[in-house]
Amino acid sequence: MLHQLVVLGSGGALPDLKRNTSSYLLLLEKEYILFDCGEAAQHNLIKYGYNKNKINHICITHLHGDHVYGLIGLLSSMSMSGRQYPLIIYGPIGIESFILHQFSFTEFVSPFLINFVELSNNEKCVIFDCKSYSISAFPLKHRIPTFGYLYQSKQMDLNIKKEAIEKYTLTVEDILCIKKGESIFRNSKLIPNEELVFVKSQPKSFAFCSDTIFDEEIVPIISNVDLLFHEATFLEIDISHAIKKMHSTANQAGEIAKKGNVKMLLIGHISARYDDFDAVLFEATIRFKNTILATDGLIVDF
Amino acid sequence: MLHQLVVLGSGGALPDLKRNTSSYLLLLEKEYILFDCGEAAQHNLIKYGYNKNKINHICITHLHGDHVYGLIGLLSSMSMSGRQYPLIIYGPIGIESFILHQFSFTEFVSPFLINFVELSNNEKCVIFDCKSYSISAFPLKHRIPTFGYLYQSKQMDLNIKKEAIEKYTLTVEDILCIKKGESIFRNSKLIPNEELVFVKSQPKSFAFCSDTIFDEEIVPIISNVDLLFHEATFLEIDISHAIKKMHSTANQAGEIAKKGNVKMLLIGHISARYDDFDAVLFEATIRFKNTILATDGLIVDF
């Protein structure tokens, strides 16, 4: 089952030639989930070749401009390009007014349903749940109300055992059912699913944490995820700025990943004050080995 | 004196790989004036190498998203990059609320003065006037309140006559004063400015008309300008769409330019429905010969 994270915007507060403001696209088998939507996120969707209308969920962490200024333009373009399917937008209280107030000036009437889900939970809370996956939101500590998100798939990736195909003369229809976890009957006898398949891969999980001060309270929530995105705005040498601005250092991002025993850490939102991003990556890697640096256009499989 | 128009966004309602939404930067000797600010206008300022903090006036035609969604991000980035000088933003009634409502969520406090000038004039009206130039606004006819803008420089570009330098042994200070139009004294005798200079070029003018239905009422306002930008969303074959959506055809843009006896016509805002922009340019050129097509990054001297 496809699980890829595409970096649409890896940068901090100010866009530059190489790094757009925050936006990350999770590609699933049949749809996309967007995490944050900085200005020109839709431009990078076009640039990297992803269909904006495959996005069914948009998870906004907080209402600082570099995480949300691209949302209104994306919604307008979805509308003008024939979208009909509903869209769910999650974010802090105010996100609906933030968008609808703008639309009230711009003659915009959405041809598709936009369902705003405003968050105010103090603990981790499931905000979407379907057969294939769930999305949870949990509070982060930043200067304004901010939420992290946790995606968890439910289905294991099952492959059919070769010997079962011959033994039970499985049809294409049988195989499709079995891959979904079902059992079959042969000569009035139940052949349990476990006998027909092997587990190709376990359910996957991804946590998105931006922006936040170093906060160990999120460790139980993000523990053991396959991929953790954690902001790393500053170097440890500038920790006083990190504390003042309620951001994290690269070292702290590594520390959270280590404590959470995650499989992979992706860091981004690096301050424009640093020329040498290798130094930021190096600092996080010392703390947590399997760390990669977000760059615009990067695709991370997990 | 420098007069260049830089196309930051030549496109229509939907951005694509080659054409961003509407934004045009007028470069003057010491400052810039921005006309419209579609999403990612600030990205193209960076891409083409122009300092956003040299913009002192932003003229928004109307509050459709493709003309204004980039304004909030540009203001935020100006703020974060140390701007201190005041900025004036002109636009239809609602522009101030449109921006300030967003800022109210995003913790934004501008370190520089933003002066919103909301327009409601039914006729051409001077909205800014200084020693070097004036800016006027005039109503256009579109689906929501919309304004065109007229820039007019005041100063002729004067060059010193070579023979005058020798005859009156002019110093650098003399030359600077003379180029500003001043006269000098030699042996208690006044030497009039006209005797010292020749006119290199006359005052310049630029009119910006987007979006608008074909409207001959603007002809007296834009007449004889050095450069007219006029939208040309449709081809004449689709004139019924143009009328319904209150846009213009390329032929109509040419017609306005011809009736106004302008020196040069720049067309843009072409609908994404057309693959062949040469056909659009061709149609306008048949009506008005000196027509050019706006493309992102294009620089037009006038």
Side-chain angles (χ1 to χ4, degrees):
Chain A
M1 240 102 57
L2 182 71
H3 281 98
Q4 284 184 326
L5 188 74
V6 181
V7 181
L8 298 177
S10 62
L14 278 168
D16 63 31
L17 272 182
K18 290 186 177 171
R19 304 188 310 148
N20 198 20
T21 49
S22 187
S23 195
Y24 293 78
L25 184 70
L26 178 58
L27 311 185
L28 306 179
E29 206 68 32
K30 294 181 180 173
E31 60 181 328
Y32 304 157
I33 302 173
L34 185 67
F35 295 87
D36 276 343
C37 191
E39 183 180 355
Q42 66 164 325
H43 293 64
N44 278 359
L45 281 168
I46 297 166
K47 182 175 175 185
Y48 301 129
Y50 297 102
N51 179 356
K52 57 185 165 290
N53 286 325
K54 285 185 75 174
I55 298 169
N56 286 335
H57 304 269
I58 300 179
C59 303
I60 300 293
T61 57
H62 63 303
L63 297 180
H64 278 158
D66 53 326
H67 297 254
V68 72
Y69 283 162
L71 183 53
I72 186 87
L74 177 60
L75 296 177
S76 298
S77 294
M78 282 176 166
S79 151
M80 283 184 281
S81 55
R83 184 186 180 103
Q84 293 181 321
Y85 292 102
L87 175 73
I88 313 182
I89 298 173
Y90 313 88
I93 288 174
I95 181 102
E96 182 167 6
S97 165
F98 182 83
I99 292 297
L100 295 189
H101 184 266
Q102 291 179 73
F103 278 149
S104 70
F105 289 99
T106 59
E107 209 197 27
F108 178 88
V109 180
S110 177
F112 60 91
L113 180 71
I114 303 175
N115 182 12
F116 288 94
V117 178
E118 297 200 332
L119 306 171
S120 58
N121 46 304
N122 294 321
E123 295 184 344
K124 179 190 159 199
C125 175
V126 175
I127 54 173
F128 184 80
D129 190 63
C130 67
K131 199 175 160 190
S132 319
Y133 63 86
S134 68
I135 307 172
S136 302
F138 52 97
L140 295 174
K141 293 191 178 73
H142 193 45
R143 303 194 303 272
I144 59 175
T146 303
F147 291 87
Y149 293 94
L150 175 66
Y151 163 89
Q152 292 172 294
S153 78
K154 292 178 178 175
Q155 290 168 338
M156 292 180 291
D157 205 355
L158 301 176
N159 264 16
I160 310 287
K161 290 176 183 167
K162 270 187 183 172
E163 58 272 27
I165 297 174
E166 287 171 16
K167 187 173 176 183
Y168 299 109
T169 58
L170 300 178
T171 66
V172 173
E173 287 73 24
D174 289 334
I175 289 172
L176 287 174
C177 294
I178 293 164
K179 286 193 84 168
K180 287 179 187 166
E182 294 176 19
S183 301
I184 58 166
F185 279 94
R186 279 298 180 273
N187 303 322
S188 306
K189 190 187 157 197
L190 181 77
I191 317 294
N193 185 267
E194 304 81 69
E195 195 176 309
L196 303 163
V197 300
F198 64 95
V199 175
K200 193 179 165 195
S201 66
Q202 294 292 331
K204 300 289 186 178
S205 53
F206 164 64
F208 188 77
C209 301
S210 182
D211 296 350
T212 183
I213 199 168
F214 176 71
D215 175 18
E216 293 192 17
E217 283 184 32
I218 67 170
V219 170
I221 298 167
I222 59 91
S223 71
N224 300 308
V225 295
D226 292 280
L227 178 63
L228 167 67
F229 175 84
H230 197 288
E231 69 124 297
T233 307
F234 292 102
L235 283 171
E236 194 69 14
I237 198 171
D238 294 317
I239 194 166
S240 59
H241 288 293
I243 292 168
K244 189 178 165 197
K245 298 278 188 183
M246 299 190 78
H247 281 297
S248 300
T249 68
N251 171 64
Q252 290 173 330
E255 184 71 15
I256 293 288
K258 190 178 171 188
K259 284 182 189 288
N261 190 36
V262 308
K263 293 199 181 59
M264 200 184 333
L265 169 66
L266 177 67
I267 56 169
H269 202 269
I270 319 293
S271 167
R273 72 175 57 198
Y274 304 118
D275 292 327
D276 183 8
F277 286 7
D278 286 344
V280 181
L281 178 60
F282 183 69
E283 181 174 295
T285 308
I286 287 175
R287 187 64 59 183
F288 183 78
K289 195 175 173 190
N290 198 13
T291 302
I292 49 179
L293 177 72
T295 52
D296 286 22
L298 178 74
I299 300 173
V300 184
D301 286 275
F302 64 95
Chain B
M1 240 100 59
L2 182 72
H3 282 99
Q4 284 184 326
L5 188 74
V6 181
V7 181
L8 298 177
S10 62
L14 278 168
D16 62 32
L17 271 182
K18 288 186 177 171
R19 302 188 311 147
N20 199 21
T21 49
S22 186
S23 195
Y24 293 79
L25 184 70
L26 177 59
L27 311 185
L28 306 179
E29 205 67 32
K30 293 182 180 172
E31 61 180 329
Y32 304 157
I33 301 174
L34 185 68
F35 295 88
D36 277 344
C37 191
E39 183 180 356
Q42 66 164 325
H43 294 65
N44 278 359
L45 281 168
I46 298 166
K47 183 175 173 184
Y48 301 130
Y50 298 101
N51 178 356
K52 57 185 166 291
N53 285 324
K54 285 185 76 175
I55 298 169
N56 287 334
H57 304 269
I58 300 180
C59 303
I60 300 294
T61 56
H62 63 303
L63 297 181
H64 278 159
D66 53 327
H67 297 254
V68 71
Y69 283 162
L71 183 53
I72 186 88
L74 177 60
L75 296 177
S76 299
S77 294
M78 282 176 166
S79 151
M80 282 184 281
S81 55
R83 185 187 180 100
Q84 293 180 321
Y85 291 103
L87 175 73
I88 313 183
I89 299 173
Y90 313 88
I93 289 173
I95 181 101
E96 182 167 6
S97 166
F98 182 83
I99 292 298
L100 296 189
H101 184 267
Q102 292 178 74
F103 278 148
S104 71
F105 289 99
T106 58
E107 210 198 25
F108 178 87
V109 180
S110 177
F112 59 92
L113 180 71
I114 303 175
N115 181 13
F116 288 95
V117 178
E118 297 200 331
L119 306 171
S120 58
N121 46 305
N122 293 322
E123 295 183 345
K124 179 190 158 199
C125 175
V126 175
I127 55 173
F128 183 82
D129 190 61
C130 68
K131 197 175 163 191
S132 319
Y133 62 87
S134 69
I135 307 172
S136 302
F138 52 95
L140 295 174
K141 293 192 179 71
H142 193 45
R143 303 194 303 272
I144 59 176
T146 302
F147 292 87
Y149 293 93
L150 175 66
Y151 163 89
Q152 292 173 294
S153 77
K154 293 178 179 175
Q155 291 169 337
M156 292 180 292
D157 205 355
L158 302 176
N159 263 16
I160 309 288
K161 289 176 183 167
K162 270 188 185 173
E163 57 272 26
I165 296 175
E166 286 171 17
K167 187 173 177 185
Y168 299 108
T169 57
L170 300 178
T171 65
V172 173
E173 287 73 25
D174 289 334
I175 290 173
L176 287 174
C177 294
I178 294 164
K179 286 193 83 168
K180 287 179 186 167
E182 294 176 18
S183 302
I184 58 166
F185 280 94
R186 280 297 180 270
N187 303 323
S188 306
K189 190 185 155 198
L190 181 78
I191 318 293
N193 187 266
E194 304 82 69
E195 195 178 308
L196 302 163
V197 300
F198 63 94
V199 175
K200 193 178 163 195
S201 66
Q202 294 293 331
K204 301 288 186 177
S205 54
F206 164 64
F208 188 76
C209 302
S210 183
D211 296 349
T212 182
I213 200 168
F214 176 71
D215 175 19
E216 294 192 18
E217 283 184 31
I218 67 171
V219 170
I221 298 167
I222 59 91
S223 72
N224 299 308
V225 295
D226 293 280
L227 177 63
L228 167 67
F229 175 85
H230 196 288
E231 70 122 300
T233 307
F234 292 102
L235 282 170
E236 194 69 14
I237 198 171
D238 294 316
I239 193 165
S240 60
H241 289 293
I243 293 169
K244 188 178 165 197
K245 298 279 188 183
M246 300 190 77
H247 281 296
S248 300
T249 68
N251 172 65
Q252 291 173 330
E255 184 71 14
I256 293 289
K258 191 178 171 188
K259 283 181 190 289
N261 190 36
V262 309
K263 293 199 182 59
M264 200 185 332
L265 169 65
L266 176 68
I267 56 169
H269 202 271
I270 319 293
S271 167
R273 70 175 57 198
Y274 305 118
D275 292 326
D276 183 8
F277 287 6
D278 285 345
V280 181
L281 178 60
F282 183 69
E283 182 175 294
T285 308
I286 288 175
R287 187 64 59 183
F288 183 78
K289 194 175 174 191
N290 197 15
T291 303
I292 49 178
L293 178 72
T295 52
D296 286 21
L298 179 74
I299 299 172
V300 184
D301 286 275
F302 64 96

